[in-house]
Amino acid sequence: MPLLYLFLPVLLVPMLRAAPDRAVGLLAGGLAVAGVGFALRWWKQADWGFGAVGVRAMADGGVYLLNAPSVLFAAIALPAFGIGMLTQGGWLRRAAGVASILGGLLCLVALAGAVHRMALGLAAVAFFALGPWWLRRAPLAALGVGTAALLSVALFPEMLFGALGQAAEKTRLAGANTRWEEAEAALGQALSSPAAFLFGQGWGALLANPAVGGWRVSYTHTLVTYALAKTGVIGLCALIAYLGGIAPRVLALLRSDPALGWAVSAPLLMALGAHTSFKYLDTGLLLTLAVLAAERGKWLPPR
């Protein structure tokens, strides 16, 4: 069942609730390691072509490693956590902080190389929101990282502005990647009969999908159109109710732990809003992490 991973919180949260701090740490660490691992596999596939970033759009490859939500999670979480490590502990912890920031940068540059526009935009929003928060909590570390970022821009302007230009050009040529046309096709198929509208056409239903040149395929690229085609309005409403119950936990996490909250919410917005990664294991684990971390925040002292 393709949507099974979305319901991992129902299975995992009751089991992990007894030790929320440990569970949150393990889930966050595991997702970050997985994200860096996917990025490294992509860089190997791309022959470590760092110099091509901003010069040409690099291929995603056959298995779409960078589509994994854990890559965007690592791109945001590792720099955010790394800044915190720079402010506490001895040299070993500071070295780990530097390694975390570099790991996040590796993921960000990979997303830029493959011109993943939505992921890059969400990462930019997350860093913009976290900047003032880190300036209040750790001004010296935040200023140091900000200075290093500005220095990188000064040293590699072609890479940055080239990546921005490629994103703009891709938007001009591809627009929304035929998502609206795909939604129109899914809605048209749902309206083909009352039964299809209410209950969908089942997991094996095929759709003449404009996003893949009109071929009849068993998938769509967004959760809403997929749920509508497979389960109809009743299934879609049930799914919206379920995710709507989790949404306040994510908002609470943004307030109690902004660094983790943004690292979780950005890939979830991508996966649940406009991406095929709603079917990935990463998405279910991120939902589980959000619920556990929000519940843990109820017992944390105010920051």
Side-chain angles (χ1 to χ4, degrees):
M1 181 178 174
L3 299 184
L4 182 64
Y5 290 138
L6 291 179
F7 299 95
L8 276 180
V10 178
L11 173 67
L12 294 180
V13 169
M15 294 191 298
L16 299 175
R17 192 173 275 143
D21 290 335
R22 180 175 174 80
V24 166
L26 289 174
L27 280 171
L31 283 164
V33 169
V36 173
F38 287 135
L40 285 171
R41 284 184 60 191
W42 182 83
W43 279 116
K44 181 181 178 181
Q45 169 185 288
D47 295 323
W48 310 101
F50 296 101
V53 178
V55 176
R56 59 180 175 82
M58 302 166 75
D60 272 309
V63 291
Y64 297 98
L65 294 164
L66 299 182
N67 283 0
S70 56
V71 177
L72 180 55
F73 174 82
I76 298 171
L78 288 176
F81 298 158
I83 293 175
M85 293 178 187
L86 293 177
T87 65
Q88 305 173 27
W91 67 268
L92 191 60
R93 185 176 175 84
R94 290 189 174 91
V98 172
S100 294
I101 293 170
L102 292 176
L105 184 62
L106 184 79
C107 295
L108 277 173
V109 176
L111 292 168
V115 199
H116 281 229
R117 295 169 294 166
M118 187 172 187
L120 291 169
L122 288 169
V125 170
F127 290 133
F128 182 79
L130 288 173
W133 183 74
W134 270 124
L135 279 173
R136 291 194 304 270
R137 288 175 57 88
L140 290 179
L143 286 172
V145 172
T147 301
L150 290 175
L151 182 61
S152 299
V153 171
L155 291 174
F156 306 104
E158 298 87 358
M159 180 181 291
L160 175 64
F161 294 112
L164 290 173
Q166 286 179 346
E169 180 66 8
K170 185 174 181 179
T171 301
R172 185 184 72 82
L173 294 174
N177 283 340
T178 65
R179 295 294 193 265
W180 295 114
E181 292 84 351
E182 181 181 69
E184 184 179 359
L187 181 60
Q189 182 160 303
L191 293 174
S192 61
S193 71
F197 179 71
L198 290 174
F199 306 108
Q201 297 187 343
W203 300 118
L206 300 178
L207 173 72
N209 195 331
V212 290
W215 286 89
R216 289 182 61 80
V217 293
S218 62
Y219 62 87
T220 69
H221 291 79
T222 62
L223 177 59
V224 170
T225 55
Y226 186 86
L228 180 63
K230 303 295 184 178
T231 66
V233 169
I234 291 178
L236 177 60
C237 289
L239 185 61
I240 291 172
Y242 167 71
L243 294 174
I246 294 177
R249 313 288 182 90
V250 179
L251 294 175
L253 181 60
L254 282 167
R255 292 191 295 269
S256 64
D257 190 344
L260 183 58
W262 277 105
V264 167
S265 59
L268 284 179
L269 282 171
M270 180 183 71
L272 302 178
H275 211 272
T276 56
S277 50
F278 62 83
K279 295 181 281 187
Y280 287 24
L281 172 63
D282 309 35
T283 303
L285 293 176
L286 283 167
L287 288 169
T288 303
L289 175 58
V291 174
L292 276 173
E295 290 188 358
R296 180 193 63 166
K298 294 177 183 178
W299 298 287
L300 288 177
R303 301 191 176 200

